[in-house]
Amino acid sequence: MKIDIWSDIACPWCYIGKRRFEAALATFPHRDEVEVQWHSFQLDPTLPEHYDGTEVQYLSERKGIDPEQLAGMLEQVTVQAAGEGLSYDYDSLVVANSFSAHRLIHLARAEGGNAAADAAKEALLSAHFEKGRDIGSAETLAEIGAGLGLDAGRVQAMLASDEYTDAVNADIAQARTLGISGVPFFVLDDKYGISGAQPADLFSSALEQAWQESHPLVNLTPASGSADGPACGPDGCS
């Protein structure tokens, strides 16, 4: 079964949604047969590579919401994140454009498959929300890539070129085609869509339903045989 996930590194609910999905997947009996692929999405592609201000200032300017109200909203998100074992630090968060970081995830997939892309996604989300690192910085991205086992020179060369730019744009275009306007967004077996950082229980139910529909029970009773062979039920055996 294939799971496609669109998300942005600069999206707090995307990290929370990742944790909740992972919790559901960990208890899914067929988890070893599930392929997860991350897809790029940008909440604000107009954001400069580096923004000189805090997350509250940026969101206040972008959304026109009172800074005090925004601070309260971010505190609520921080509490939700803590419930999933994440330590958000908005005081240290560096507001930056995520496009280059998405390119790093594509490079990681090219070098090591979906598992490497997942590791890159995790490292970038943690760097942004927990460690106060600048995900718009080529130097930071090269360090993160090296920490994942990628060659730092290879990462730097990629970032200095337009490599994987088309791949990121293709993901964003595909999201638009599917009608995805917010993230995280999960697509199960090209059939079921789940929007947002839903509870783990909902992900568990969706995984089970998608699996059952793609792997229906096949009745092996021969056409010439008895439809009801010897069996036991609530009323006894026959």
Side-chain angles (χ1 to χ4, degrees):
M1 184 165 65
K2 184 180 179 183
I3 313 293
D4 294 283
I5 309 174
W6 275 263
S7 94
D8 192 5
I9 298 153
C11 164
W13 287 108
C14 288
Y15 203 3
I16 295 170
K18 183 176 187 293
R19 278 292 181 274
R20 292 175 177 174
F21 170 75
E22 288 169 342
L25 187 60
T27 61
F28 185 55
H30 311 287
R31 58 186 174 275
D32 292 338
E33 298 177 68
V34 175
E35 175 190 354
V36 178
Q37 182 165 336
W38 292 97
H39 295 273
S40 306
F41 190 95
Q42 281 202 294
L43 293 170
D44 185 4
T46 67
L47 184 66
E49 186 174 293
H50 299 283
Y51 174 85
D52 187 19
T54 65
E55 180 81 341
V56 169
Q57 290 171 329
Y58 160 67
L59 290 174
S60 179
E61 293 174 7
R62 174 72 176 172
K63 300 182 179 296
I65 303 175
D66 178 75
E68 289 189 9
Q69 182 181 354
L70 269 171
M73 293 167 61
L74 294 182
E75 177 59 30
Q76 292 177 17
V77 174
T78 300
V79 170
Q80 290 287 323
E84 306 301 331
L86 303 174
S87 301
Y88 281 11
D89 183 0
Y90 279 106
D91 291 335
S92 301
L93 188 147
V94 178
V95 182
N97 192 294
S98 62
F99 195 91
S100 291
H102 283 297
R103 291 167 61 205
L104 176 59
I105 295 173
H106 279 275
L107 172 62
R109 177 179 295 113
E111 297 281 333
N114 286 332
D118 183 81
K121 182 75 172 182
E122 176 69 26
L124 288 163
L125 286 165
S126 180
H128 184 63
F129 285 107
E130 298 183 305
K131 300 174 182 175
R133 305 202 67 187
D134 183 357
I135 61 167
S137 162
E139 180 180 354
T140 297
L141 293 177
E143 290 176 1
I144 291 173
L148 296 167
L150 298 173
D151 181 78
R154 174 71 179 94
V155 177
Q156 291 169 339
M158 181 273 292
L159 293 171
S161 70
D162 62 356
E163 193 174 5
Y164 296 113
T165 294
D166 288 346
V168 174
N169 286 329
D171 277 349
I172 294 171
Q174 186 179 6
R176 192 179 304 117
T177 299
L178 293 172
I180 298 171
S181 59
V183 288
F185 197 94
F186 304 76
V187 178
L188 285 64
D189 261 353
D190 295 321
K191 185 173 183 179
Y192 294 103
I194 300 175
S195 177
Q198 299 290 345
D201 287 348
L202 187 146
F203 284 120
S204 293
S205 297
L207 285 168
E208 186 62 35
Q209 182 173 348
W211 180 268
Q212 292 298 334
E213 291 201 10
S214 62
H215 300 78
L217 181 66
V218 177
N219 191 342
L220 297 179
T221 304
S224 59
S226 170
D228 298 306
C232 294
D235 298 326
C237 300
S238 61

